[in-house]
Amino acid sequence: MLNETTAAPKTNAWNHRHLLDVDDFTPEEFEIVFSTADAMSEILSRPIKKVPALRGQTVVNLFYENSTRTRASFEIAAKNLSADVLNVTSTASSITKGESLIDTLKTLEALGANIIVMRHNFSGAPYLAAKHSKASIINAGDGWHAHPTQALLDLYTIRKHKGSLAGLKATIVGDVRHSRVAHSNIWGMTKLGMEVTLCGPPTLLPYGLDNPGANFPKVRVENQVEKAVANADVVMALRLQRERQQSGLLPSVREYVERYQITSERLKKAAKDVLVMHPGPVNEDIELATESAYGEKSVINEQVSNGVAIRMAILYLLSGRQGEL
Amino acid sequence: MKNFLIKGGRLVDPAQGIDGKFDIAMADGKVSWIGAGEPPKNDYTVIDATNLTVTPGFIDLHTHLRQPGFEEKETISTGTAAAARGGFTTICSMPNTNPAVDNRATVDYVKCVASREAVVRVLPIGCISKGRRGETLAELGEMAGAGVIGFSDDGSPVPGARLMKQAMEYAAGLNLPIIDHCEEPSLAEGGQINEGIVATRLGLAGIPNAAEETMIARDIALAKLTGARLHLCHISSKGSIDLIRAAKTGGLKLTAEVTPHHLTLTEERCLGYDTNAKVNPPLRTYADIEALIGALLDGTIDAIATDHAPHTENDKCCEFALAPFGISGLETAFGSLMKLVHSGKMPLPLIVEKLTAGPARVLGNGFETAGSLKVGNPADLVISDPAAEWIVETAKFASKGKNSPLAGEKLKGKVIVTIYNGNIVHEEDIR
Ligand SMILES: [Zn+2]
């Protein structure tokens, strides 16, 4: 139904009703998403970027937290697939005012929502939603927990450049503790055979990674950024929230810049064809020096356009329409 | 009131050093005879306890009854019914109600409602500070006169060390314990579960062990200084055990309790964002469980207390961060503790000791009789089946709080009959 010239990927191995995280994905499922996104990229390269795949379906963007970028990316993705799109923004304060998440979901269901894209400031909120909703839930970022579509677009971007992910080395630098992007990427990268090194101020690194156990994939922690980026095939910088300094996790932003900023000097230690990534929006000259953010190694703008393809792929896979191909 | 003769059971009464096949008779609400032959002549209702265990009624040092103020979560009536189902014949009610139990009138209110509606003994605990605000001392002397068994701001710690010192000095003069919820507020602030790998995986803010341990260290120092009796609530970490063990060796008047859930469940129960496993202090790791069991075995911990904290389904059916802390624990306490017996980690008589004689010693002041079946003591008694398998169906709880992480789980070990003051207050239908 996409178009006769687009080879539709095999999707019979796909059995997720919701996309809550990538921690339960098999390598095959990642590949289904990637090959579906390849098909979507092809659509995006056409002069008219619109197919009828989700005609008659309603996609709701339910955002409890502001994120123009992610919301816009989902909106464009849904519209490219001809879905009806409804944007609902709310604030955490409306929860405490007595309108529970479950009440809101029931209302959206009554309005005919088929897929609910949900951004929430509380970790785990999409899991609660999935338990109580007939619609498919897509986690568009929950608290400090997960951001699966961002991880998928990051992995897809790496795959486009490197072919295969197995054996590649990734280094994630910055506020890993509070980064849902980092958390989902750690799962995805390690599942697909990459080695992951985490680097950042100790107050911004996650707890318990020194503990053995199958709870979280094994990753390496390296305090010195020069050592962390050495031979890395991918260097991903994370956005630094200013309030980390106010809450006593950092002495100063200046000190952070000095010790952890990804500069072209530090990137010389990485692999020659290193990819510089960032989930955006970049605080220029804080986590990334301007020359690395926009340099030839940067794929940050590609990440944004791949995001639309990945989100189209996820919407398509969750829509239940792929059986019609 | 009937007279009971309970025959053929395994009688376990640690206070008297009894563990064996003995019959026990109760007349006029008191234990009247223990032996192996013919009991003294009387008109008995005979209960056959073959293959069952007969013990003193359990004592819970830490129960939240929620009345006054939060009757939708629990009342003295429903809470004591839950206690009876769990084998508890004496429960100590925490004062974090609304209004808080911080003065004589509220103590009297709790005792008055209990005298009318409770099916087991309710011993109120009074607040340490007025309104549990941690600012000024509550009227400790007045409440002592009204019959509280100790003082606690449970639900919260006493943040200021100076106020805690004054409370200890004052309580020592009343010969009543300070019962402390140990949590350093600035370390625990915003925390949802144990700080560690599971918190990382779920993206939730953690509560470190050190939040508990730094407060315990402070309070031990203050107890040393003041000579007060200090009872530490719901100990959860290995580091806390080390501190308590050392302090007890130093001869301090220090006692401590642990909950069934901290003895049997780890932080991993929170995976999937199960708000029923959200409890304060948080469920910790297997290494902590091992240390807690070791501390029961060597006497570092004196009692097992439920920290029964009922909440409505609505309260718990929400985002993890918004859910209140607490587990409805009275009705699953015995069954979950039997996991430790069946796995060979603890002998049954020791579990019984920590539910009877141990907490009775913590209470002191004449309440010791509640923990033993000595002839002449009140007839508070539990008959349980260590081998009975059952599924935890929270819908059947007598407690209004259905918030249990064990919902749907199979437990082995069940309370069959609970007798309080010579009356049957709970009897399992499937006997
Ligand atoms: Zn407490």
Side-chain angles (χ1 to χ4, degrees), chain A residues 36 47 92 146 153-154 166 171 186-187 191 205 214 230 260 271 281 291 293-294 296 316 324:
Chain A
T36 309
L153 75 89
D154 291 341
T171 298
I186 291 171
W187 282 109
K191 277 264 174 75
L205 289 177
Y260 298 103
E291 83 269 9
Y294 302 106
E296 52 176 16
Y316 177 66
E324 296 172 22

Side-chain angles (χ1 to χ4, degrees), chain A residues 18-229:
Chain A
H18 309 285
L19 176 69
L20 302 177
D21 196 1
V22 292
D23 60 350
D24 58 348
F25 268 42
T26 61
E28 294 69 41
E29 288 169 330
F30 281 107
E31 195 47 46
I32 290 170
V33 176
F34 297 153
S35 48
T36 309
D38 283 339
M40 300 301 170
S41 291
E42 191 276 323
I43 293 167
L44 291 172
S45 69
R46 299 177 192 169
I48 296 169
K49 306 169 178 34
K50 194 152 182 152
V51 290
L54 261 68
R55 183 176 290 160
Q57 291 219 355
T58 300
V59 174
V60 178
N61 284 322
L62 175 61
F63 275 54
Y64 283 89
E65 201 182 68
N66 276 334
S67 170
T68 312
R69 296 163 60 103
T70 305
R71 196 190 49 69
S73 180
F74 270 108
E75 184 168 351
I76 291 164
K79 285 183 171 163
N80 286 347
L81 296 171
S82 303
D84 296 320
V85 182
L86 182 67
N87 289 316
V88 179
T89 47
S90 193
T91 56
S93 66
S94 73
I95 301 167
T96 42
K97 278 183 195 142
E99 189 185 343
S100 78
L101 173 60
I102 296 167
D103 294 339
T104 305
L105 290 169
K106 296 288 169 221
T107 307
L108 295 177
E109 251 176 58
L111 291 171
N114 301 99
I115 297 177
I116 296 173
V117 177
M118 195 176 145
R119 162 68 64 101
H120 206 288
N121 42 336
F122 288 136
S123 298
Y127 290 72
L128 179 74
K131 231 183 261 175
H132 292 272
S133 168
K134 288 194 197 80
S136 288
I137 304 292
I138 297 176
N139 182 2
D142 63 327
W144 304 344
H145 171 243
H147 196 348
T149 57
Q150 178 72 39
L152 288 166
L153 75 89
D154 291 341
L155 297 167
Y156 182 64
T157 305
I158 300 169
R159 174 183 173 273
K160 274 201 158 178
H161 282 265
K162 308 280 186 185
S164 161
L165 279 70
L168 296 180
K169 290 187 169 78
T171 298
I172 303 178
V173 183
D175 183 3
V176 183
R177 186 185 295 174
H178 306 99
S179 171
R180 49 194 171 212
V181 174
H183 290 166
S184 287
N185 263 305
I186 291 171
W187 282 109
M189 287 173 168
T190 52
K191 277 264 174 75
L192 294 173
M194 293 177 73
E195 287 173 39
V196 178
T197 301
L198 307 178
C199 181
T203 47
L204 296 181
L205 289 177
Y207 292 107
L209 293 181
D210 46 343
N211 255 10
N215 258 325
F216 212 82
K218 261 269 182 230
V219 292
R220 196 168 70 92
V221 175
E222 172 55 59
N223 278 311
Q224 258 191 297
V225 72
E226 287 81 5
K227 284 189 190 162
V229 300

Side-chain angles (χ1 to χ4, degrees), chain B residues 68-85:
Chain B
F70 306 104
E71 286 81 357
E72 73 285 3
K73 293 179 194 277
E74 194 81 292
T75 63
I76 290 171
S77 165
T78 58
T80 57
R85 277 175 60 100

Side-chain angles (χ1 to χ4, degrees), chain B residues 62 64 154-156 180-182 233-234 280-281 307:
Chain B
H62 195 144
H64 295 277
D154 185 57
S156 336
D180 198 27
H181 168 119
C182 295
C233 293
H234 42 55
N280 186 16
D307 192 6

